[in-house]
């Protein structure tokens, strides 16, 4: 059971701090910068300023090794702050990770990488070992997160990143989902509709220059090989493009091939042709343009993403 600890001379902890692990705090003589998050000890900031409230986080806040993403953002909104506990304009970091490995779905498309049953999200401040109480989304039986790591992007333009994840179910296969800072589901695409049918996320950007963010993924990169682009607007997702003959993953690989680049003329998607013979870019210029850039090789893909191949 996670419990809060009141501050004061008995603990040496400020009243706005909680302890996740239930272990005794380190000696109060240590300054805050010397406190390390680790060995099962995590210190949690109370968002509401109520030191007696319990932090109900159930999972390790850092998530599974290599299955996390982190993005910086400014603690400023038009009306004030994203996070009340930190000064306005402070740089903060949002951390999202998959946690709790499972084999219940059994698709195995990502090789040795196992699926996850939960998503954990918290905010921290550089130089401060404390974190906010992690928000968590735990999935029911028959549902898993089937992805390498969450993806982070500010989809609504408020300055704070949203969390993009891939959920798969034993009845309907994969769908793309968007979560907020509190691990609340904001929007989702329709599921593919069949078990063991997956999608591989490329990234998110304003791909067509209309002022709204789009999310791109390849629908069934081993079968349908269709790039789908969805616009996020007013809390919902709308599909705006479906381009066939493209892929960004091969069965058993523990990584996604390709991604986003901007070589000075706006964001472009980089991925492979459906037969893996070419490196392609997809950009919006009087409509969606698919252009071959080089014969496919890992080296050519890396050079393209680095803008060494224009």
């Amino acid at each position: 059971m996670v419990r809060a600890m009141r501050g004061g001379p008995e603990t040496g902890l400020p009243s706005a701090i909680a302890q996740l692990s239930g272990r005794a705090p380190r000696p109060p003589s240590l300054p805050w910068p010397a406190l390390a998050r680790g060995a099962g000890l995590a210190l949690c900031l109370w968002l509401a300023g109520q030191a007696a409230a319990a932090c109900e986080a159930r999972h390790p806040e850092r998530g599974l090794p290599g299955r996390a993403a982190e993005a910086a953002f400014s603690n400023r909104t038009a009306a004030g702050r994203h996070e009340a506990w930190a000064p306005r304009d402070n740089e903060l970091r949002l951390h999202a990770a998959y946690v709790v490995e499972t084999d219940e779905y059994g698709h195995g498309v990502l090789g040795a990488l196992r699926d996850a049953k939960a998503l954990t999200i918290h905010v921290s401040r550089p130089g401060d070992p404390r974190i906010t109480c992690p928000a968590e989304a735990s999935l029911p039986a028959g549902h898993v997160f089937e992805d390498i790591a969450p993806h982070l992007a500010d989809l609504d333009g408020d300055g704070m990143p949203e969390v993009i994840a891939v959920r798969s179910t034993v009845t309907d296969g994969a769908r793309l989902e968007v979560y907020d800072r509190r691990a609340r589901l904001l929007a989702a695409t329709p599921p593919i509709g069949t078990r063991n049918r997956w999608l591989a996320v490329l990234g998110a950007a304003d791909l067509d220059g209309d002022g709204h963010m789009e999310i791109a993924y390849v629908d069934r990169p081993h079968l349908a090989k269709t790039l789908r682009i969805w616009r996020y607007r007013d809390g919902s997702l709308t599909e705006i493009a479906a381009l066939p003959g493209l892929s960004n993953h091969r069965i058993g690989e523990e990584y996604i091939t390709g991604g986003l680049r901007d070589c000075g003329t706006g964001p472009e998607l980089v991925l492979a042709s459906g037969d893996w013979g070419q490196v392609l870019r997809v950009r919006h210029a009087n409509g969606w343009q698919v252009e071959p850039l080089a014969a496919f090789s890992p080296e050519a893909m890396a050079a393209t993403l680095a803008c060494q191949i224009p």
Side-chain angles (χ1 to χ4, degrees):
M1 175 65 181
V2 177
R3 62 187 178 90
M5 296 187 66
R6 291 186 181 274
E10 296 81 11
T11 64
L13 298 176
S15 60
I17 304 299
Q19 183 183 356
L20 277 179
S21 68
R23 293 188 181 185
R26 295 191 180 192
S29 58
L30 284 176
W32 280 114
L35 289 175
R37 192 185 311 139
L41 182 64
L43 299 176
C44 212
L45 284 160
W46 287 142
L47 299 179
Q50 297 176 353
C55 176
E56 298 295 339
R58 292 169 291 174
H59 306 301
E61 77 277 4
R62 304 303 298 181
L64 296 168
R67 311 291 296 276
E70 190 168 276
F73 66 97
S74 174
N75 194 31
R76 169 182 283 269
T77 68
R81 296 175 287 179
H82 293 290
E83 302 286 315
W85 53 268
R88 194 179 193 203
D89 294 325
N90 263 200
E91 178 187 315
L92 302 179
R93 292 176 183 168
L94 186 139
H95 179 97
Y98 292 132
V99 67
V100 186
E101 292 180 305
T102 179
D103 295 316
E104 70 173 273
Y105 186 52
H107 189 193
V109 73
L110 290 170
L113 288 182
R114 300 167 68 193
D115 302 328
K117 288 296 293 183
L119 172 70
T120 180
I121 302 168
H122 70 259
V123 174
S124 63
R125 181 168 53 185
D128 189 332
R130 299 168 295 176
I131 64 169
T132 58
C133 182
E136 297 172 342
S138 297
L139 300 183
H143 294 234
V144 300
F145 288 113
E146 190 180 17
D147 197 5
I148 297 167
H151 308 260
L152 304 179
D154 179 13
L155 298 178
D156 58 11
D158 70 349
M160 176 179 280
E162 277 70 47
V163 180
I164 302 166
V166 178
R167 181 196 298 214
S168 295
T169 76
V170 296
T171 55
D172 294 322
R175 73 176 189 178
L176 182 135
E177 299 184 328
V178 177
Y179 290 84
D180 70 3
R181 147 85 176 83
R182 314 291 181 191
R184 296 173 296 205
L185 181 63
L186 299 177
T189 64
I192 292 172
T194 302
R195 180 180 179 142
N196 292 349
R197 298 296 183 265
W198 182 61
L199 62 88
V201 179
L202 269 172
D206 181 4
L207 295 171
D208 58 2
D210 68 344
H212 300 286
M213 292 286 283
E214 283 81 39
I215 305 172
Y217 65 77
V218 178
D219 175 3
R220 292 161 287 176
H222 324 117
L223 296 171
K225 301 180 181 180
T226 299
L227 173 66
R228 298 192 185 275
I229 300 174
W230 293 74
R231 178 178 294 128
Y232 185 85
R233 183 175 183 179
D234 299 329
S236 63
L237 289 163
T238 303
E239 187 174 9
I240 62 169
L243 306 174
L246 303 168
S247 185
N248 63 342
H249 185 264
R250 290 179 284 200
I251 293 174
E253 291 179 340
E254 299 176 10
Y255 55 88
I256 302 299
T257 296
L260 279 166
R261 74 172 191 175
D262 190 334
C263 301
T265 58
E268 301 174 341
L269 300 168
V270 178
L271 65 172
S273 57
D275 63 2
W276 288 81
Q278 294 179 307
V279 176
L280 306 174
R281 73 173 176 183
V282 178
R283 61 188 180 122
H284 192 273
N286 297 317
W288 296 102
Q289 309 293 326
V290 180
E291 301 168 316
L293 298 180
F296 179 82
S297 69
E299 294 76 17
M301 178 61 72
T304 301
L305 287 169
C307 297
Q308 296 169 4
I309 298 177

